[in-house]
Amino acid sequence: MSTLAKDEELRHYFDMDGGYAQANAHLSQLDPTLSSAVQRFGGIHILNQDPFEVLLCFILSQNNNIARIRQMYARLSEVYGSSVNERWYAFPLASEMEQATEEDLRRLGMGFRSPYLVDAIQKHTLLEQVPFLDFEAALQLLMTIRGVGPKVGQCILLYGFHRMEAFPMDTWMKKVMRCWYPDRTPAYFAPYAGLAQQYLFHYARTQGLQ
DNA sequence: CACCAGGCCGTGC
DNA sequence: GCACGGCATGGT
């Protein structure tokens, strides 16, 4: 790949032309909490990640901790990833994991998520339909994959398909909503709910809720 | 050594 | 519909 093409790919991956000045300005004027979150952590971008990678990673994330998710990600990359694909990182393509069985994955330490991974690999072509569906239909489709519920599904839509309406509700965001936005729903943050989620998540985890 | 982790599934009501 | 326990495994 030419350096120019790689530069363009990286610009897209990090969403360098995402219009964040306007998004940050909008969120900042919503309320004091978001205002200080943006002020402290301004610069957060929503990545444009590979949908298949995101699908597997967020299946791995359920009831798990970051350190171990990293380790499992690295292990899948080592065992199934290949440098022949034209990418700057080694996470496997769906085609490279087609042969993986539940037993293989258990031996690799994927635990109770192993059958979920197998189902996700098997159904990976569903991802191709997502760009043509509205948000709710896309979420319902993703949730037909075992191990994909509302939270994981919205993560896939946000990081894999850049759907800004997505607002993944994990344990931290439930606390955030209860504590700071008791009378609000994610629609309050439209049209930048996904970005707001990232700011609030990071804000809550680094400086705590009060 | 208990307890927990950026949920989801199956069961029982 | 909704509350509940179980879940593989490594970190703290």
Side-chain angles (χ1 to χ4, degrees):
Chain A
M1 196 181 334
S2 73
T3 52
L4 194 62
K6 185 176 289 183
D7 181 70
E8 187 47 47
E9 183 185 336
L10 289 175
R11 285 192 63 79
H12 179 253
Y13 182 81
F14 289 107
D15 201 31
M16 297 309 288
D17 304 309
Y20 287 96
Q22 182 184 347
N24 290 340
H26 176 81
L27 294 177
S28 293
Q29 55 84 40
L30 278 182
D31 59 74
T33 305
L34 267 172
S35 178
S36 46
V38 172
Q39 191 164 5
R40 290 185 56 126
F41 306 116
I44 290 181
H45 284 204
I46 304 296
L47 302 181
N48 289 295
Q49 295 181 268
D50 169 39
F52 178 70
E53 175 187 355
V54 174
L55 168 63
L56 265 57
C57 283
F58 281 96
I59 285 174
L60 293 181
S61 77
Q62 63 179 271
N63 197 38
N64 208 349
N65 58 69
I66 305 285
R68 196 159 87 95
I69 297 167
R70 277 210 190 95
Q71 177 192 306
M72 295 160 97
Y73 177 95
R75 208 167 285 176
L76 290 180
S77 297
E78 286 170 23
V79 173
Y80 295 102
S82 158
S83 55
V84 302
N85 66 62
E86 297 259 322
R87 298 202 295 190
W88 47 277
Y89 62 102
F91 195 83
L93 305 169
S95 58
E96 295 174 307
M97 295 199 71
E98 272 171 355
Q99 308 301 323
T101 66
E102 176 178 343
E103 261 315 302
D104 295 336
L105 294 170
R106 281 189 188 275
R107 273 195 296 274
L108 271 184
M110 300 300 130
F112 69 87
R113 307 164 187 83
S114 301
Y116 302 162
L117 295 175
V118 170
D119 196 50
I121 293 163
Q122 214 153 51
K123 295 180 180 162
H124 76 272
T125 54
L126 291 186
L127 297 171
E128 296 165 13
Q129 304 178 37
V130 169
F132 305 104
L133 299 174
D134 64 48
F135 186 81
E136 219 18 72
L139 184 58
Q140 292 308 316
L141 178 67
L142 291 173
M143 285 173 58
T144 63
I145 298 170
R146 290 183 43 78
V148 178
K151 192 271 177 180
V152 169
Q154 299 213 19
C155 283
I156 298 168
L157 289 172
L158 184 57
Y159 306 117
F161 295 95
H162 216 75
R163 294 292 186 92
M164 277 293 177
E165 318 95 290
F167 195 83
M169 267 304 191
D170 57 29
T171 52
W172 285 89
M173 288 311 295
K174 284 175 186 167
K175 290 184 207 167
V176 164
M177 294 306 284
R178 221 179 22 246
C179 184
W180 291 337
Y181 298 95
D183 303 318
R184 304 292 189 182
T185 67
Y188 167 70
F189 305 104
Y192 304 109
L195 184 62
Q197 191 268 4
Q198 284 299 283
Y199 276 120
L200 293 170
F201 176 82
H202 194 56
Y203 194 54
R205 289 206 68 169
T206 53
Q207 85 152 26
L209 297 122
Q210 42 193 350

